[in-house]
Amino acid sequence: MTLTRLIIFALLLTLGRPTTAQPTAEPESPAVFSPVTWERLLNAGSEPHNWLMYNGTLDSKRFSQLDQIDTSTVASLKLKWAHHIPQLDRAETTPLVVDGVMFITESPSNVVAVDAITGRPFWRYDHPLPDDLRICCGRNNRGVAILGETLYMSTLDAHLVAIDGRSGSLLWNQEVADHRSGYSKTAAPLIVKDRVVTGIAGGEYGIRGFLDAYDADTGEREWRTYTIPGPDHPDNRTWAGDSWRTGGSPTWITGSYDPELNLVYWGTGNPGPDWNGDVRQGDNLYADSVLALNGDTGEMSWYFQFTPHDVHDWDAIQIPVLADIELDGETRKAMLWANRNGFYYTLDRETGEFLLGKAFARQTWAEGLDSNGRPIRRPGTFPSQEGTLVAPIAGGATNWWSPAYSPRTGLLYVNAFDGEALFFSREQEYVEGNTFTGGGTETPLAIDNYASAIRAIDPSTGDIKWEFPITPRSRAGVLATAGDVVFSASVDGYFYALDATNGQPLWDIALGGPVHASPMTYAVNGQQFVTMTIGNVVYTFGLDD
Amino acid sequence: MRRKHLTQCLLVILVITLTGPSWTTQTIAQDTNNPFTSRIDLRMGQRLFQTQCTTCHGLNATGGNEGIGPDLTTGRFRHADTDVGLYRVIRNGVRGTAMIGLGAEPPDQSIWQLVTYLHSLSSTADDPGGSPVIGRQLFNGKGNCNRCHMVNGEGGRLGPDLSFVGERRRPSELLADLVNPDDEVSPRWWTMKVSGLDGRQFEGLRMHEDTFTFRIMDADENLRSFEKYGPWSYERIQSSTMPNYTQSLTPEERNNLVAYLFSLRRDR
């Protein structure tokens, strides 16, 4: 960074005129605080210098209009700064950027505000946690939501906290569920109007999942929709006996919102116990589904279940990507969904109608999908005492890491894995607060026998247009930009850029740590940056000044 | 003064050494003062407590889960009325109970630091007896303290969040905060001043500083980031931006404010 440059970097939350794509360095401009209103969130795509929510925009395309870094300039990306997260746990964060200030969540349930140009901190909030947490898969947090001047964060003790965006002061702290019963919270909330919509984790603990909305000012709960209907609802009969009470179906990734339809879309996780379906005969609604809920009331408009009676832990915990696409000569309000179970789906997001679907990764458990999108199961694929070999693995053909959709190419970019695993089934009694999985899984061959790829899927056909192979694996999200660049990363620590039109590699750098996060991009003073968390370090790259 | 403390403490050691392992109490003067009461002593005491005492008395000294050790935060002790009494209980234990005591091994200083820590926990220790209700009105009204301070999510950002200030400051310290704000200003609340930028000046509270850069919050609560080296200059001012309330508030008003501030704690 040149020293002659003007020294004022960030005018926090100050220059946020929604229409300026390229904010200018104007230190003398009055530093008027500009809160992130619902209007701004609705139009987040038109201020691409900011990254205002977990998936960038309410339709979760993870597509940015920034194009300074494009197919011709990306090869000269340079490291600008790195921020070390003090905890060595997995880092799954997607930072937000608001007018030059970046908000990064850190393990276990902390948040730090840094200057987006230098990566140096303004403040931090460390959430006190009890020592009897119930967490299946690491002390993770994926990010915050912002409304006005307030950040909203999920915490591992299953609380939702509101934090002042300028000072890091705690504004309120609301218990969402009792962590001692197996509930926890890891996902970034989603702002819908003046509410904070937020899910729950704990699918390996026999919880009963739900999706909640809280008043952003007071933290009072406004609605709760259970992902497993109670006994007064006919769909409750898709669970044998009392199995619905401990049926899991968590909601541990962030959803999407369509303002015209006023529908919140949210994926649900596996039914519990994960691998022993005998104790919960039936389709197990609404596990492994996408739910469309009224944004004001939480009332269900429709659902689509990807994997009825799942016995392989194939959570439908993916990002609902909302895009309008051409299908048979018609423009459809669609939802694009590459699922953990190995199939890609295009749904009508108004009605939930299944439009088309196709395997996008290796799968051995179904003959295909029927005309309603229901899988046609192959016999002999259920977990067993001695182990049953099935593809995909429990971790899925893809997982919670975000895909990206570019309206310029019309392609959905997905991180896919062609693996297989032995699935074991065991009897298990439910004990409140203990894990409740009913079995386990094991990968029979060394990991190098399998492969990952970034696959570019055409949502109007389900066909794969191109793929970029990754050896051996990836657990990273994807970002697409108007520079026709696709960014992602691999578990062996590469951060790389592909040509969005053909998958050709354009740039890569070995950063060395395992990857569990998704990339994002932003700009300050007209300069574009791209940020990726690898290991426990948040790296930010940009072109020369 | 200092010497006197040392002598007293030597005396204590002497007495304890002389009386052997089954410690008795007769010979120590009732008015012996605790010589280790600084903020550092308090912190050392807390640290010791956390390693030696929490298994029975609980993490916050409010009593063990299984009720093994009693709550030590009530300000009243069954086995001691004075610091010396507490000293003895900690060193000698309580006969016939699980409270065994630390014995002769640890230095005097450590025992006194534990005494200091236990005092800091008690809510009635040095309460000047003001009214928290009136204090709250002053805080948000005439005192205008909420212009700079946040309490439970309401208020300004130009001073520390006081939501739980009663947990970290004793009443006497809170009183001192009002009349001597320039004492021990935490670096977070120093002021940074930047000048020489085409005649423009920036000034704000020091949120973070490192070798090459620093960040401030200005009077309008905007966050700004600066590089240190360039054709401009910066200055670090280590006094407090909080007004001194010696003149503008009466002693009674200050006591009411202190009572309110001291009530700002999490429910135990």
Side-chain angles (χ1 to χ4, degrees), chain A residues 55-352:
Chain A
N55 281 309
T57 48
L58 289 167
D59 57 14
S60 300
K61 290 192 177 96
R62 265 198 193 248
F63 173 79
S64 168
Q65 293 288 354
L66 296 179
D67 59 3
Q68 192 178 73
I69 299 168
D70 63 14
T71 51
S72 63
T73 59
V74 66
S76 42
L77 277 183
K78 299 236 163 50
L79 179 64
K80 293 295 177 182
W81 55 261
H83 168 82
H84 278 253
I85 294 172
Q87 300 293 325
L88 282 171
D89 306 68
R90 279 188 203 178
E92 301 190 343
T93 187
T94 294
L96 302 191
V97 168
V98 183
D99 303 332
V101 177
M102 178 182 280
F103 302 103
I104 300 168
T105 59
E106 303 183 334
S107 172
S109 297
N110 302 332
V111 50
V112 56
V114 306
D115 172 22
I117 290 188
T118 60
R120 305 304 299 165
F122 282 107
W123 55 256
R124 55 182 304 119
Y125 168 78
D126 292 324
H127 185 71
L129 286 169
D131 53 12
D132 56 350
L133 296 172
R134 307 318 205 256
I135 40 178
C136 70
C137 316
R139 306 195 309 158
N140 311 323
N141 187 288
R142 303 197 188 86
V144 288
I146 188 166
L147 180 66
E149 306 170 8
T150 305
L151 306 175
Y152 300 91
M153 179 171 69
S154 294
T155 63
L156 286 176
D157 54 349
H159 285 226
L160 178 68
V161 292
I163 301 157
D164 177 36
R166 295 200 236 191
S167 66
S169 273
L170 178 70
L171 302 181
W172 50 257
N173 177 357
Q174 175 71 261
E175 183 184 77
V176 169
D178 186 348
H179 71 275
R180 288 165 300 190
S181 303
Y183 293 88
S184 58
K185 282 176 63 56
T186 51
L190 178 75
I191 301 298
V192 175
K193 301 177 186 174
D194 53 3
R195 298 187 185 87
V196 187
V197 180
T198 186
I200 194 80
E204 274 62 52
Y205 288 86
I207 64 158
R208 182 183 175 206
F210 53 80
L211 191 68
D212 279 357
Y214 293 84
D215 181 301
D217 276 340
T218 63
E220 294 301 314
R221 193 164 87 206
E222 302 223 319
W223 51 260
R224 165 168 293 183
T225 299
Y226 281 99
T227 56
I228 301 176
D232 49 345
H233 193 286
D235 288 340
N236 179 265
R237 271 161 248 146
T238 62
W239 297 83
D242 266 354
S243 61
W244 63 275
R245 292 181 189 280
T246 53
S249 311
T251 45
W252 53 271
I253 198 68
T254 310
S256 308
Y257 178 70
D258 184 323
E260 274 169 41
L261 302 173
N262 189 26
L263 289 178
V264 173
Y265 302 101
W266 216 279
T268 64
N270 63 279
D274 305 39
W275 295 293
N276 185 344
D278 297 350
V279 298
R280 49 171 175 80
Q281 293 295 341
D283 275 359
N284 306 140
L285 290 169
Y286 309 103
D288 290 352
S289 305
V290 53
L291 310 181
L293 308 182
N294 180 293
D296 298 315
T297 63
E299 201 186 330
M300 194 179 299
S301 171
W302 56 262
Y303 71 88
F304 179 86
Q305 190 179 39
F306 299 97
T307 315
H309 191 69
D310 173 24
V311 286
H312 296 103
D313 192 17
W314 290 329
D315 299 64
I317 294 288
Q318 289 83 41
I319 305 298
V321 179
L322 314 184
D324 296 347
I325 62 162
E326 292 296 314
L327 204 65
D328 305 324
E330 252 187 282
T331 304
R332 301 294 294 251
K333 285 179 183 293
M335 178 185 298
L336 322 183
W337 199 296
N339 193 276
R340 198 154 146 174
N341 70 12
F343 287 92
Y344 165 79
Y345 302 78
T346 300
L347 305 178
D348 181 320
R349 72 173 181 271
E350 225 168 331
T351 62

Side-chain angles (χ1 to χ4, degrees), chain B residues 50-177:
Chain B
Q50 272 159 3
T51 56
Q52 305 274 352
C53 322
T54 49
T55 43
C56 298
H57 290 285
L59 271 180
N60 302 315
T62 48
N65 290 337
E66 269 75 49
I68 306 168
D71 185 347
L72 300 177
T73 68
T74 59
R76 298 184 161 273
F77 299 97
R78 276 203 300 147
H79 298 283
D81 306 318
T82 59
D83 284 4
V84 177
L86 272 180
Y87 178 102
R88 281 192 206 114
V89 169
I90 296 169
R91 194 163 303 269
N92 307 346
V94 179
R95 214 193 236 153
T97 74
M99 180 63 205
I100 293 174
L102 291 175
E105 198 60 44
D108 243 64
Q109 184 176 354
S110 305
I111 308 283
W112 284 125
Q113 286 168 338
L114 279 165
V115 170
T116 298
Y117 174 61
L118 290 185
H119 269 308
S120 77
L121 299 170
S122 62
S123 35
T124 50
D126 52 0
D127 194 331
S131 154
V133 177
I134 301 173
R136 182 165 194 268
Q137 289 162 0
L138 277 166
F139 189 88
N140 297 312
K142 180 186 171 196
N144 205 11
C145 318
N146 59 346
R147 178 165 77 82
C148 297
H149 291 289
M150 218 178 255
V151 172
N152 297 326
E154 306 276 341
R157 299 151 167 125
L158 300 178
D161 187 323
L162 299 180
S163 302
F164 307 123
V165 73
E167 290 176 11
R168 58 174 188 271
R169 307 288 280 158
R170 302 174 65 181
S172 54
E173 294 169 317
L174 291 167
L175 201 56
D177 289 334

